[in-house]
Amino acid sequence: MAKAILTLLVFIAAKSVCGQTIRDTSFSVYTAYAKALKNYPGISIAAGIHSNEIKEQKDVVYCDLNGRKLLLDIFCPVDKAKSNGIAIIIIHGGGWRSGNRAMHYPLAQSLCLQGYTCFTPEYRLSTEALFPAAVFDIKASIKWVRENADAY
């Protein structure tokens, strides 16, 4: 019983310090790269693409949860004629606990150059809101993309 209480207290302490949520940064582009490098020595981290053909909109609010604004980034072709009309929502990994939407900017930019409109939403990580909150956040981002499809 004492061990269970101690475990719970450690869990609570890990989640919050002085009312601030602690962000888990254990999963990142670099940590994934370092882990994969052992088995794939020829790999490298994808670089961002800087192109006049890509329109980027960052920090677009897709949901407001009592003052907590959830953001997404949009990557779409500048020339609407080059758009294939297909949207891709890129959800970062990290087990609902770590990672961030910027991890997939190079992928979104590359897909954009092929005519896709890409969205990279953030979601509340489990250090901020317990599961299944992240799933509801992603559902809200899908709803936002559908409601704003004509604009993109």
Side-chain angles (χ1 to χ4, degrees):
M1 178 71 170
K3 184 177 179 183
I5 292 172
L6 179 60
T7 302
L8 178 60
L9 290 174
V10 169
F11 176 73
I12 291 169
K15 287 182 55 99
S16 178
V17 173
C18 300
Q20 297 293 321
T21 300
I22 298 171
R23 185 169 289 278
D24 180 351
T25 58
S26 62
F27 180 68
S28 67
V29 171
Y30 182 77
T31 59
Y33 164 76
K35 184 177 178 182
L37 187 61
K38 296 171 189 167
N39 294 321
Y40 306 97
I43 65 170
S44 61
I45 295 175
I49 300 169
H50 303 286
S51 172
N52 294 335
E53 296 180 37
I54 301 171
K55 178 182 177 186
E56 296 183 11
Q57 288 180 265
K58 296 194 176 159
D59 299 328
V60 176
V61 176
Y62 75 84
C63 184
D64 187 325
L65 300 167
N66 298 320
R68 168 58 162 100
K69 293 178 181 2
L70 294 175
L71 308 173
L72 57 74
D73 303 314
I74 306 164
F75 301 82
C76 58
V78 170
D79 183 355
K80 295 274 188 189
K82 292 185 179 179
S83 174
N84 61 21
I86 298 173
I88 299 175
I89 300 172
I90 302 171
I91 303 164
H92 69 81
W96 303 117
R97 182 175 172 82
S98 190
N100 66 71
R101 68 187 195 273
M103 295 174 73
H104 296 297
Y105 284 179
L107 174 61
Q109 293 162 335
S110 179
L111 289 168
C112 180
L113 290 174
Q114 296 175 49
Y116 297 94
T117 298
C118 297
F119 301 86
T120 59
E122 77 169 328
Y123 53 84
R124 292 171 294 161
L125 301 173
S126 62
T127 56
E128 178 180 356
L130 295 178
F131 182 84
V135 176
F136 295 135
D137 296 347
I138 294 302
K139 286 182 175 186
S141 74
I142 294 168
K143 181 179 182 216
W144 186 93
V145 169
R146 285 182 172 165
E147 289 172 351
N148 292 276
D150 290 342
Y152 302 100

